[in-house]
Amino acid sequence: MVSSLAAELGIWRKMIQRIDDPSSTNYPYYGGRGIQVCARWRNSFNDFIADMGHRPSTEFSIDRMNNNGHYEPGNCRWATKCEQMRNRRDNRFLEFEGRRLIVAEWERLRGVKPGTFKRRALLGWSDAAILHTPVREIKTFTLDGETHDLMEWS
């Protein structure tokens, strides 16, 4: 098993690579957008660990709380995949009765097929209409142990 420190060193190196290396797959989303690594972290892995602390477990990776902000103390945390998915720039939030959740969270909460609320949002529906308009029941059919709705079978 890889030690935590070795894994954290890899995370630190990849963070810098996303910023500096135009041939990196993720460069357009980081360095290409002007995101930087603060000098303290760029110049010292030990300072990076001193500020961030050790990651709690292998389930965590580095996350910028403000996606337009830099890799620096105060803007970075160790986050789970789920936390990071909620913190994407392209997420659409719906607000209703004091709750603000991303579309996928509302769909899970309401037991709605993924993509249903997103399609409604793209059509310009209000948040209340997206969340409270009944979803038509989709009939499913089972054949040879496989269950799909009519659209999926076609």
Side-chain angles (χ1 to χ4, degrees), residues 17-28:
Q17 182 184 31
R18 286 190 291 272
I19 301 303
D20 288 351
D21 183 1
S23 68
S24 168
T25 306
N26 291 315
Y27 177 82

Side-chain angles (χ1 to χ4, degrees), residues 2 5 15 21-23 26 31 34 46 57 61 67 73 92-93 95 101 116 128 146-147 149-150:
V2 177
L5 200 56
M15 171 184 68
D21 183 1
S23 68
N26 291 315
N46 289 333
S57 77
S61 58
N67 284 309
R92 168 74 156 83
F93 284 84
E95 295 186 40
L101 302 172
T116 302
E146 254 187 89
T147 303
D149 65 37
L150 192 56

